[in-house]
Amino acid sequence: MLDSDPAPRPAGVPRLLSSAFILGAFALGTSENVIAGVVPRLAEAFSVPVSNIGLLVTAYAGVAVIAGPILALLTARIPLRVLTLLPLALYGAGTLLAVFAPSFPVLMAARIITGALHTSVLVAFMLTAIRLAPENQRGRTVGRITLGLGVATVIGVPIGNALAEAWGWQWAFALIAALITLTLVIMIAVFPDERSPRGEAGWGSLRILTRGSVIGGVATSALAGLGAMTLLAFAVPFLAATGVPEPAVAPLLLIYGAACLAGNVLGGRLADRDLGRALLSTLTGIGLALVAAGLLAGTTIGAVIGLALVGLTYFASFPPLNTWIATHADGVAPDLALAVNSSAFNIGIAVAGSLGGIALDTGLRAGHLPYLGAGALVIGVLVAVVTTKARTSTRLGAEPT
């Protein structure tokens, strides 16, 4: 008797769809961070204190942390095409609301709407990319999406700030609205009607949070964010402490930005070779880079090199971490797992910002911040070792939940 035909292998992500994922991630990353560069203009336009403008950042991030997992829990049975296009359209509407906001409360409402949809859109991008990509290309495929987020920080935010300076703060949001609209148009044309089930729906899907390989990956994401961002969130004072004049800081940060983008590409390739090894090597790399940054912090050249090394290794961890979590949650609740991971990642960043700020306020030198972050990476590497070893030991059988 002839064997039955094997299941068809994924053909890969169509190039135009992959470009739309990158463009959409670029738009979301720009939207998330652009407020920082237009704070003075917004405060002047709405006659509110600068501290109130900071709430626009807090609202976006805070709502994203909470709404992401909740929406993932409620939408697990919705086809990926609908789950991508509808939130993307609503995100565009929320951004247009920001463009034409007549008052600060309306702008705040726009930020809340877009923040609530941020994680859902990115998770849909990643899940679709992973499901369409061959197994040996998943890391690179996820890496292209996180590359869009990285490029947004390096290029999108400065462009938004330049538009705001030239023509008014509304133009920064108009740029984002245009990018979202273009992404939506492309996706309407080429997004596949993929209806195969992704896993469980409802409260039963919460059991994914008891799966060791998933919750270990989530904890590792939080610790990596906490450790690396303890330095990266304070890159400017870290460089300034070496005597860099203020006008020279921005050009030097471009070197750091280029290293981040290179790290993202590297991480995708490492993940496709050996996912578990990529996880351990990138996390170990972050820890070593932080120690190196501390040792090199005495000179400007050393500080730039240290900052670039941390950016390189940190961004290299994104593709392995996201691919690991999505892969090991497949069949149960990959949407929820990725959303929880995004929330944990942002919580780690928030704690890093507070921890670094408190440390500087109590007299810690900016050059010593890397050592503070390295402690979190020691724990992160230990968690990753336990997670990958436990997964290896259960690979031939069903993973306990």
Side-chain angles (χ1 to χ4, degrees), residues 35 39-40 42-43 48-59 104 108:
I35 290 292
V39 167
L42 288 173
V48 297
V50 169
S51 59
N52 284 16
I53 303 302
L55 294 175
L56 295 172
V57 178
T58 303
F104 182 75
M108 176 64 78

Side-chain angles (χ1 to χ4, degrees), residues 68 72-73 75-76 78 80 83 123 127 198-199 329 333-340:
L73 192 65
T75 59
I78 296 177
L80 276 173
L83 190 58
V123 166
L127 283 179
R198 300 188 297 280
D335 310 49
L336 180 60
L338 282 172
V340 170

